[in-house]
Amino acid sequence: DVQLVESGGGLVQPGRSLRLSCTASGFTFGDYSMAWVRQAPGKGLEWVAFIRSTIYGATPESAASLEDRFTISRDDSRGIAYLQMNNLKIDDTGLYYCVREVEGAGEYWGQGTLVTVSS
Amino acid sequence: EIVLTQSPATLSLSPGERVTLSCRASQSVSRHLAWYQQKPGQVPRLLIYDAFKRATGIPVRFSGSGSGTDFTLTISSLEPEDFAVYYCQQRDIRGTFGPGTKIDIK
């Protein structure tokens, strides 16, 4: 079975950094594009970033509004996708989901890891 | 950034009714449009990708259509478990989600 397990969330002060991890199992990790999607409390979904599969160069893209602070990466040897988040702001608070894509759509989702940015 | 607009924001319907949800993109996304369902406290569930392809295990009452800038999700006959929020998403250029349409029970 496909499993995606996020970790690394927690309470962090504004301006600090955090790195989220998504540990994948049950499929050949390098064959798939991976993404991060977030959801602020009581709000809608927000696309954060994706990284192409290895055969497509593992090239990353982030949302334009976040690309100066958020970076996605992957380690195919360990089956892990990362989201490096720098200079965190209060508005970055939310549940961060790891997603395995099919044709650019989120086919499998983890349960999410909660990030709270507060002083 | 491509902006997605969904209409209506809320629908109040009864089980058995047919419903059509709209998603409009600020510029063409070809067929790179997906639809999701999310219930309170749950992870989003992929319903449709590439505008019209049903995801694995999705009932046939869900169907998608459209291309370019205008897309629809149709539920042919609402079941009690279909009352939820529905989001569209494009991944033609980077990615964006629409604001969602909530279907609640009339």
Side-chain angles (χ1 to χ4, degrees):
Chain A
D1 284 4
V2 172
Q3 283 204 317
L4 302 170
V5 179
E6 302 93 338
S7 59
L11 175 63
V12 61
Q13 293 179 323
R16 303 299 291 265
S17 297
L18 210 56
R19 188 178 77 160
L20 306 183
S21 299
C22 168
T23 302
S25 60
F27 63 100
T28 303
F29 184 73
D31 287 351
Y32 291 87
S33 295
M34 301 296 296
W36 289 92
V37 174
R38 71 181 183 181
Q39 189 166 33
K43 303 297 184 183
L45 301 172
E46 181 180 6
W47 185 85
V48 174
F50 91 104
I51 186 164
R52 293 177 177 84
S53 62
T54 303
I55 59 173
Y56 288 102
T59 49
E61 290 193 44
S62 300
S65 61
L66 299 174
E67 64 181 348
D68 59 335
R69 299 188 296 121
F70 287 21
T71 304
I72 188 173
S73 61
R74 64 190 298 156
D75 182 342
D76 289 353
S77 66
R78 302 178 64 194
I80 301 177
Y82 299 100
L83 182 68
Q84 178 67 42
M85 305 185 295
N86 298 329
N87 189 22
L88 282 160
K89 305 178 187 303
I90 291 176
D91 286 350
D92 294 322
T93 293
L95 192 58
Y96 284 71
Y97 294 105
C98 174
V99 178
R100 191 190 91 171
E101 293 192 332
V102 59
E103 302 296 335
E107 183 182 23
Y108 287 94
W109 296 61
Q111 292 299 308
T113 186
L114 183 62
V115 173
T116 303
V117 184
S118 174
S119 54
Chain B
E1 176 182 295
I2 297 177
V3 176
L4 298 180
T5 304
Q6 292 187 242
S7 60
T10 306
L11 275 173
S12 295
L13 297 168
S14 302
E17 290 196 76
R18 179 184 178 90
V19 57
T20 300
L21 308 183
S22 172
C23 178
R24 178 164 290 177
S26 59
Q27 65 188 75
S28 176
V29 298
S30 184
R31 285 191 177 272
H32 301 140
L33 195 287
W35 291 93
Y36 301 85
Q37 176 194 70
Q38 189 179 32
K39 299 177 184 178
Q42 294 189 17
V43 172
R45 175 193 184 196
L46 177 65
L47 301 174
I48 301 288
Y49 66 99
D50 277 355
F52 65 93
K53 298 175 181 177
R54 256 188 307 276
T56 303
I58 301 304
V60 296
R61 65 180 180 273
F62 292 93
S63 63
S65 64
S67 65
T69 60
D70 290 297
F71 299 86
T72 59
L73 173 72
T74 300
I75 310 173
S76 59
S77 177
L78 276 170
E79 296 288 336
E81 61 268 28
D82 298 338
F83 293 92
V85 179
Y86 292 82
Y87 296 95
C88 59
Q89 178 223 357
Q90 68 82 21
R91 250 267 281 118
D92 187 67
I93 298 176
R94 304 192 196 221
T96 46
F97 282 92
T101 292
K102 182 179 181 181
I103 302 178
D104 59 26
I105 300 176
K106 191 172 183 180

